[in-house]
Amino acid sequence: MSVDLSLSLEEQCQAIWDETEARDRWMQAQRRKPPLVRLHTGANCDLVHVVECEDEATWEDPDNDTGPGTLILDFATPQAQWLNDMYGRIQRGEKRNVIVSVDYCGIRWSGLLEECDVQTDETGYTRLVATFLSDFEQLKSKLLWSTPVMPAAFQPIKVFGLAGPAPWVCLTALQINLWRENFSLLTLPDDPLAPSAWFTGLDMANWTVVVKPSSFMYWMGQGVPWAILTSRFKYWHEAAQDILADAELSLRWRRWFEGDPEPWPGAQVRHGALVVWIEDMSGVLAGTSNGGTLADGLARTIRSYTEDFVENIEETITDMPVIDDYRDPNKPFSYDPRVPYVYYPPDSPGVTQSSFKSKGAKYVQLVTGGHSMPGVNETMSALTQGIFDVIGNALQVGSIGGSVDAILKPFYEDTVLAWVAVKLFERAQASGDFRLFEFFIASAGKAYTLDTLMVLRKGAHDTRTIFSWSMSIADATPYMLGENGLGHFSKGHRIAGRIPGDLTRRIHVQRVAKTVLGWGVDRSAGWELVVGENKPQEDPLVRLMGDAAEFRSELKEAGVF
């Protein structure tokens, strides 16, 4: 839109008002379009059914994790019969797996069928409850081999490692192991007797998961934090999730179908391929608005690290950047993480229900370790053997260093430089004298290494001050949740809110941690959001399962499993 400045002031105002109403009608029309739910085969992602007869549907999409989806259908419908007919799908060559895609306001939720539950109530009505897991679950099945360019029987490099900008490290590790997965000389093809199957993996256009290209130098110029990724047969998400959370980066993925815009210029990907990339939607290192009051406005701060690189501190920035796109009426859905503009006040008609939670930081000292830093045990062993070899020869009993070392090793091994204790001074000063003191972090690595630093960073991150809120919103009142030019914000974006009745009138600015899209026969499609930290809103059983999985990963890293 451009305003004709030759018109009178009244005419200019009327033109702006007319355009505003037209845009509001367009937003309402987009929101009223029913979500497009499609079912595809697991063979070639061929479209089989468009679902238009569901009783109820819910699709959760947490940031950097798997979200469940639920589709409830009358069991008499063809879609329900097809979902339940696993044997028939295999016999017809459609394969066992089912892919679902849900499109609404530019956002696409997609995932694989997890289970079907056919339920009959007391009235005799039979329905099918289909549960899906979002496509992040596919990335949870990607292992990072120690030496990914070699077969499993020969892994000369014990620990796989990369260092660099956090997004580049995570995506490069995934790309290398996707190449290993699709290179049939390292991993046998599904049909070893078919000669063509041995060479299809060499062409990325045949891959089912592809990484959107981005260079090392590109991420160097973005100012994102650096990270170190190490793995001895870790799952990719185990190695990457903490890095992404610490850097406040969002992993994005979108299943590409023929007819969609190219995922990147010149891309050649197969129909149904899962395209993966990372976006910096927080701007914490570039400086972002993250709180304030109605009186003084939003405060803009930049995150920096203390001297030990374990603790974060926020430094206030006096200048506020001018976002030219915000002043361009032709770009109504622009977003800049440094200056978020979506704000839901307590009396906003867009908020139908809300819950605010806060949890103060705990523990002012972190302890980890258990294994001496590299070279310590080896040095003590060499000294023990050398000293007792000299003593043995002097007493004319021969070289006894090896025998004595074998006896003494259980007593001296992992006793020197095996533990690390770091005090968080900023947290200690803010907590006062009465506080929880120490927090132990289990670690399978050696002390005083880069791996220790990553473990301590994770411990500081897990015990930091947490603020979150959840709310149900009336979409497009006034902000519209969507992507690709169809919304003001989406998962990962920063938005602002205020607690009803809070006399401090403090504005909280946090990232959208999870979106839930749901609808049913008695209600139209609507959104629920979790803003800030997702963990306080998480079910305790889900958190317990996550802790167990993390502990199992550490044991595997240590070689116990």
Side-chain angles (χ1 to χ4, degrees):
M1 172 191 175
S2 59
V3 179
D4 187 356
L5 300 180
S6 64
L7 299 175
S8 66
L9 180 60
E10 181 181 357
E11 291 173 328
Q12 292 181 38
C13 292
Q14 186 62 44
I16 294 173
W17 179 250
D18 292 342
E19 177 64 24
T20 301
E21 287 193 317
R23 183 166 294 162
D24 182 67
R25 288 192 298 269
W26 176 84
M27 288 171 53
Q28 296 292 348
Q30 295 297 322
R31 187 179 62 84
R32 291 193 186 101
K33 290 181 180 178
L36 174 62
V37 182
R38 292 176 287 182
L39 301 176
H40 313 260
T41 67
N44 295 304
C45 206
D46 297 322
L47 177 62
V48 179
H49 288 289
V50 174
V51 180
E52 297 178 318
C53 51
E54 65 275 15
D55 291 349
E56 192 171 339
T58 306
W59 312 96
E60 293 189 20
D61 192 12
D63 196 31
N64 298 331
D65 207 347
T66 301
T70 304
L71 185 63
I72 302 177
L73 300 165
D74 186 327
F75 192 54
T77 61
Q79 294 88 341
Q81 292 291 322
W82 183 78
L83 284 170
N84 190 61
D85 187 16
M86 182 190 302
Y87 177 81
R89 293 198 303 270
I90 296 174
Q91 294 300 310
R92 292 188 296 268
E94 297 168 345
K95 306 303 181 183
R96 176 185 296 107
N97 288 334
V98 173
I99 298 170
V100 66
S101 63
V102 184
D103 292 84
Y104 184 65
C105 293
I107 296 176
R108 174 170 293 167
W109 193 103
S110 59
L112 293 178
L113 177 65
E114 177 69 8
E115 69 174 14
C116 287
D117 182 10
V118 180
Q119 303 174 351
T120 304
D121 61 19
E122 63 277 4
T123 66
Y125 176 66
T126 303
R127 66 178 190 172
L128 178 134
V129 180
T131 304
F132 300 83
L133 294 179
S134 67
D135 279 325
F136 189 92
E137 190 71 11
Q138 285 200 45
L139 303 181
K140 288 187 175 181
S141 70
K142 309 299 182 185
L143 274 174
L144 302 182
W145 286 22
S146 300
T147 312
V149 296
M150 294 293 178
F154 182 60
Q155 296 284 293
I157 301 175
K158 291 186 178 181
V159 178
F160 173 84
L162 283 175
W168 179 85
V169 163
C170 295
L171 293 177
T172 300
L174 178 61
Q175 174 69 14
I176 292 173
N177 284 272
L178 287 175
W179 175 82
R180 171 187 58 80
E181 175 186 343
N182 289 278
F183 188 37
S184 299
L185 295 179
L186 297 178
T187 305
L188 289 176
D190 294 345
D191 186 0
L193 298 181
S196 60
W198 289 86
F199 304 101
T200 56
L202 297 176
D203 185 1
M204 285 182 57
N206 294 314
W207 294 11
T208 57
V209 180
V210 296
V211 175
K212 189 175 181 179
S214 58
S215 67
F216 181 91
M217 296 307 298
Y218 167 79
W219 286 114
M220 281 283 290
Q222 297 301 306
V224 295
W226 275 50
I228 301 164
L229 185 149
T230 60
S231 169
R232 190 183 181 195
F233 281 81
K234 277 184 181 178
Y235 284 107
W236 179 83
H237 81 281
E238 294 171 346
Q241 267 188 327
D242 291 333
I243 295 175
L244 296 173
D246 182 54
E248 291 197 25
L249 298 168
S250 294
L251 182 81
R252 309 302 300 272
W253 64 92
R254 187 177 179 90
R255 198 170 283 278
W256 184 85
F257 298 126
E258 292 180 358
D260 290 343
E262 290 181 330
W264 67 86
Q268 293 184 353
V269 296
R270 69 180 291 179
H271 171 73
L274 187 66
V275 181
V276 180
W277 71 99
I278 289 175
E279 289 185 16
D280 179 14
M281 307 172 82
S282 65
V284 292
L285 292 186
T288 184
S289 299
N290 65 355
T293 66
L294 294 178
D296 55 21
L298 293 180
R300 184 165 176 254
T301 62
I302 185 171
R303 177 200 286 180
S304 60
Y305 300 109
T306 53
E307 293 180 354
D308 55 13
F309 294 100
V310 174
E311 200 171 6
N312 291 332
I313 57 175
E314 300 286 342
E315 298 179 355
T316 302
I317 306 173
T318 57
D319 65 313
M320 184 67 75
V322 176
I323 311 301
D324 292 334
D325 285 351
Y326 287 177
R327 301 186 175 190
D328 188 343
N330 296 314
K331 298 179 179 179
F333 299 116
S334 300
Y335 172 80
D336 190 300
R338 297 172 297 171
V339 188
Y341 61 85
V342 174
Y343 171 53
Y344 285 99
D347 57 352
S348 170
V351 179
T352 58
Q353 187 177 4
S354 66
S355 169
F356 289 78
K357 295 184 180 182
S358 60
K359 183 179 180 181
K362 295 182 178 181
Y363 310 104
V364 299
Q365 183 161 294
L366 306 177
V367 180
T368 188
H371 301 285
S372 296
M373 68 177 293
V376 172
N377 290 333
E378 293 80 1
T379 300
M380 295 178 70
S381 176
L383 288 173
T384 302
Q385 293 186 44
I387 291 172
F388 282 94
D389 279 345
V390 172
I391 294 175
N393 291 327
L395 297 176
Q396 297 184 352
V397 294
S399 300
I400 59 174
S403 301
V404 175
D405 181 60
I407 296 172
L408 296 180
K409 181 172 287 189
F411 297 96
Y412 71 72
E413 192 174 39
D414 294 333
T415 59
V416 178
L417 296 180
W419 301 96
V420 181
V422 175
K423 190 164 186 177
L424 306 177
F425 293 103
E426 295 285 336
R427 183 181 297 182
Q429 294 172 11
S431 298
D433 294 336
F434 300 90
R435 71 277 177 106
L436 300 178
F437 182 48
E438 285 183 320
F439 179 66
F440 178 77
I441 313 164
S443 171
K446 295 180 180 292
Y448 299 96
T449 61
L450 293 176
D451 184 59
T452 302
L453 177 60
M454 298 301 295
V455 171
L456 291 171
R457 286 282 306 159
K458 181 181 183 301
H461 184 271
D462 289 345
T463 58
R464 73 197 185 285
T465 297
I466 293 175
F467 184 87
S468 72
W469 78 85
S470 61
M471 61 182 179
S472 300
I473 64 170
D475 202 14
T477 313
Y479 304 106
M480 184 170 171
L481 196 151
E483 293 179 353
N484 298 314
L486 294 176
H488 296 98
F489 71 103
S490 64
K491 180 186 67 177
H493 287 135
R494 286 182 178 270
I495 67 172
R498 190 157 57 87
I499 301 176
D502 183 7
L503 298 181
T504 66
R505 302 172 71 83
R506 178 164 178 78
I507 299 173
H508 300 275
V509 182
Q510 299 284 343
R511 297 172 66 215
V512 177
K514 181 171 74 172
T515 62
V516 182
L517 173 64
W519 68 89
V521 292
D522 57 345
R523 69 187 194 281
S524 58
W527 295 99
E528 292 183 7
L529 307 179
V530 173
V531 186
E533 289 297 324
N534 194 19
K535 284 188 176 181
Q537 306 285 351
E538 217 172 47
D539 183 87
L541 180 60
V542 175
R543 295 175 63 182
L544 178 63
M545 292 172 62
D547 292 340
E550 182 179 346
F551 182 66
R552 185 172 63 251
S553 171
E554 291 168 348
L555 292 176
K556 178 160 58 69
E557 188 82 357
V560 177
F561 287 162

